[in-house]
Amino acid sequence: MNTQSEGERVRGWLTGRLPAGWFEGEPEVSIDRDEILVVGRIAAPEQGDGVSAAERSAAEEGRIKQFREDTREKRIEIARELEHATRRKVAWGVRAGETRTVFTSLSAPVMTRLRQPERQVLDTLVDAGVARSRSDALGWCVKLVAQHSESWLGDLREAMAKVEDVRRAGPDATSPDSSED
């Protein structure tokens, strides 16, 4: 099953399984090889026009904390079911107003081989206090690349989906019109 169709199945399953009223609209669902991240939008607290950014942010964080506590048991139950079905960990997050918080998230080790110039880049980030470790520095670099090349990465993902479609339609594909004797 390709990533796109798997994403559609997970989103469909969540649509049927999530309690009505949890989120405003459909949740944002991100899937990779290791994890499914579900981030839903909840109503931001109503506040007057003259509130400061700090007060607004604190109110949104409080609303998110309340949602997290109120839904904990049900989220765990749903996550276990989805983890069993997909063999991936499930993480949850919420967006209220301008505040987005991810409650739990998998930190997956990734093995890599770096030559000295690449290690020196990571060590410079650590020495400068930008990152606590080489691992943090590498994560920082990946985030920076993703931030500055999102359209290119989107084009690449789209091209990969097209390749998957071509593979499925290849000579080994079974058509509904073919019959075996």
Side-chain angles (χ1 to χ4, degrees):
M1 181 182 308
N2 71 18
T3 306
Q4 182 178 353
S5 64
E6 187 169 19
E8 291 169 357
R9 287 190 44 80
V10 168
R11 277 188 286 284
W13 187 87
L14 285 167
T15 297
R17 184 64 178 88
L18 291 175
W22 261 20
F23 301 128
E24 294 178 338
E26 297 295 314
E28 170 190 326
V29 178
S30 303
I31 301 173
D32 69 9
R33 293 178 182 145
D34 304 306
E35 179 180 41
I36 298 169
L37 174 60
V38 181
V39 179
R41 177 170 289 285
I42 61 174
E46 293 185 30
Q47 295 178 295
D49 294 335
V51 299
S52 68
E55 186 176 347
R56 178 199 44 77
S57 178
E60 291 170 355
E61 288 171 11
R63 177 63 53 89
I64 289 170
K65 182 171 176 41
Q66 185 66 51
F67 177 87
R68 183 178 189 185
E69 297 304 320
D70 290 349
T71 62
R72 181 179 315 261
E73 288 182 30
K74 194 67 169 174
R75 284 185 296 106
I76 290 170
E77 178 184 326
I78 293 168
R80 284 185 180 145
E81 292 172 10
L82 188 54
E83 287 170 359
H84 180 74
T86 63
R87 300 200 186 327
R88 287 182 172 86
K89 298 304 278 179
V90 175
W92 295 93
V94 171
R95 181 182 304 275
E98 297 177 26
T99 305
R100 182 180 190 267
T101 301
V102 174
F103 305 147
T104 56
S105 186
L106 181 66
S107 180
V110 178
M111 299 301 293
T112 183
R113 294 182 187 274
L114 299 176
R115 303 236 183 259
Q116 188 178 38
E118 291 94 6
R119 293 191 313 266
Q120 287 174 333
V121 170
L122 299 180
D123 291 341
T124 299
L125 294 171
V126 172
D127 294 343
V130 173
R132 294 176 299 182
S133 65
R134 281 181 172 175
S135 177
D136 284 346
L138 188 56
W140 185 85
C141 291
V142 169
K143 287 177 193 172
L144 190 63
V145 168
Q147 177 184 349
H148 291 291
S149 58
E150 190 56 42
S151 65
W152 180 81
L153 289 171
D155 292 346
L156 184 60
R157 289 181 187 110
E158 188 177 308
M160 290 173 11
K162 288 179 184 174
V163 167
E164 184 63 31
D165 292 342
V166 170
R167 281 186 183 141
R168 274 197 314 257
D172 294 336
T174 58
S175 68
D177 298 336
S178 67
S179 60
E180 295 182 27
D181 294 326

